[in-house]
Amino acid sequence: MQLPPVEHNRSRRRRRRGRPRDLPGRVPDGDRRDRPGLSRGSRPGRVAGLPSGPDDPLATFHGDVPAREAEAAVARLVPQSLKSFTQPLSRAAWCTVPSGYVVRERDRALAPARQEDMAVRTAGPVHRLPSHHSPFLSMPAACASLFARIALEATA
């Protein structure tokens, strides 16, 4: 017995995964042409009750990164999923997987005092780097060396 062919309704738009189209603060598709750096769905302004990106991501995330690399890194930034702020957390890896924390002592995005609070929750070793938010860009050798040492200690 042969099944009848499946008809596809092409006029019906497929539901996209991700952010709802009517989210306050969302840049409509037609408005992104004249706003360099904004992509579909990015939020130029603040959405009530939710964190938004910094006013100066260059200084906030990459203050100690060479200018050319910092500008390239900022160009790759995308909005963070709203679910990360609103969806209930059922399990956190740091609760079940041995972990530690690297405090970035000159971080402008996440204050070192707040990092210390978060580090205590991991119950693992706390390491420090004299860097801003992105040590993997500003001091890649020191960052790699620290991660190698952490990996060796974990497997010893």
Side-chain angles (χ1 to χ4, degrees):
M1 177 171 156
Q2 188 173 4
L3 296 174
V6 177
E7 291 185 26
H8 295 281
N9 184 349
R10 300 214 188 274
S11 64
R12 186 188 312 170
R13 295 181 73 164
R14 286 191 297 173
R15 182 172 180 242
R16 288 190 215 178
R17 301 181 92 186
R19 297 172 50 159
R21 298 188 69 66
D22 59 346
L23 183 69
R26 185 180 175 285
V27 176
D29 295 343
D31 291 349
R32 71 175 191 264
R33 292 179 294 236
D34 56 350
R35 297 183 187 188
L38 293 179
S39 60
R40 169 189 272 145
S42 63
R43 295 180 299 138
R46 299 189 186 280
V47 174
L50 295 174
S52 69
D55 293 330
D56 184 3
L58 198 63
T60 303
F61 296 132
H62 310 297
D64 57 350
V65 176
R68 190 174 185 174
E69 289 178 54
E71 289 168 5
V74 167
R76 290 188 304 267
L77 290 174
V78 296
Q80 186 170 343
S81 165
L82 291 176
K83 284 184 178 181
S84 65
F85 299 110
T86 59
Q87 192 172 40
L89 182 64
S90 59
R91 289 191 324 199
W94 58 266
C95 292
T96 58
V97 176
S99 58
Y101 197 92
V102 179
V103 174
R104 284 104 39 224
E105 297 171 335
R106 297 181 189 149
D107 196 337
R108 294 180 187 165
L110 188 58
R114 178 70 180 116
Q115 293 180 59
E116 296 283 352
D117 293 341
M118 293 167 55
V120 169
R121 292 171 51 188
T122 67
V126 177
H127 306 276
R128 288 172 172 47
L129 285 175
S131 75
H132 286 246
H133 195 70
S134 306
F136 43 88
L137 294 175
S138 63
M139 49 178 54
C143 196
S145 175
L146 174 61
F147 291 155
R149 190 175 85 227
I150 292 169
L152 288 172
E153 289 171 3
T155 58

